[in-house]
Amino acid sequence: MSEPFSVRITVRGYETDVQGHLNQSVYINYAEHARWSLLQAAGITQAGLLAKGVGPVALETTIRYQRELLAGDEVDVTCVFEWGGGKTFRIRQTISKADGTVSAQLSSVGGLLDLKERRMVADPTAYFKELAAEPGLFGL
């Protein structure tokens, strides 16, 4: 398997709580940013998704916090898609400090929603393969 897709983010002061730690909700924002960055790097745009009549949906997210993050810390947020052959897929993400210390691990279940029918599409991999200029970034 190739290296996971990764983006670097600097923790901003306004994202921290009263103890100076990165606020818990911001971890999800960082994960979402990495996912959309991966889509963009693979050549998938929001306009392209809408033109196909689908949109990504998050069904479940679990976060395991391991080490604190403080304002000014630089973090790398990875993103790996895992395909199971059904209507859903799993996304595994790690948020690590620049020195490699793991700060959080996220596991999400997602899918593609047919925007007209308001139901999950049966084979999301087919859409990703068709829309992506670089489907290999999704492990396809």
Side-chain angles (χ1 to χ4, degrees), residues 58-62 90 107-110:
L59 302 171
E60 172 185 310
T61 300
T62 302
R90 186 166 296 280
S107 176
S108 302
V109 176

Side-chain angles (χ1 to χ4, degrees), residues 1 18 22 28 30 37 40 42 55 65-66 70 77 92 95-96 120 130 139-140:
M1 182 176 135
V18 71
L22 184 65
I28 291 178
Y30 285 5
S37 294
Q40 182 179 16
Y65 302 99
Q66 294 179 253
L70 306 172
V77 185
R92 300 217 185 262
I95 300 175
S96 303
M120 303 291 284
E130 183 178 342
L140 297 172

Side-chain angles (χ1 to χ4, degrees), residues 97-123:
K97 292 183 181 182
D99 69 4
T101 302
V102 174
S103 296
Q105 294 184 25
L106 295 87
S107 176
S108 302
V109 176
L112 284 179
L113 183 70
D114 180 309
L115 298 174
K116 183 177 179 186
E117 298 294 323
R118 307 309 287 177
R119 295 183 181 271
M120 303 291 284
V121 301
D123 183 9

Side-chain angles (χ1 to χ4, degrees), residues 46 48-56 112-115 121 127 131:
Q46 287 180 328
L49 289 164
L50 289 173
K52 275 292 190 192
V54 296
L112 284 179
L113 183 70
D114 180 309
L115 298 174
V121 301
Y127 285 86
L131 288 166

Side-chain angles (χ1 to χ4, degrees), residues 2 4-5 9-11 18-19 31 39 47 51 64 66 75 82 92 94 97 108 110 113 116 119 125 130:
S2 62
F5 181 84
I9 300 172
T10 301
V11 176
V18 71
Q19 290 109 289
L39 288 171
R64 168 167 264 182
Q66 294 179 253
V75 297
E82 297 175 352
R92 300 217 185 262
T94 302
K97 292 183 181 182
S108 302
L113 183 70
K116 183 177 179 186
R119 295 183 181 271
T125 59
E130 183 178 342

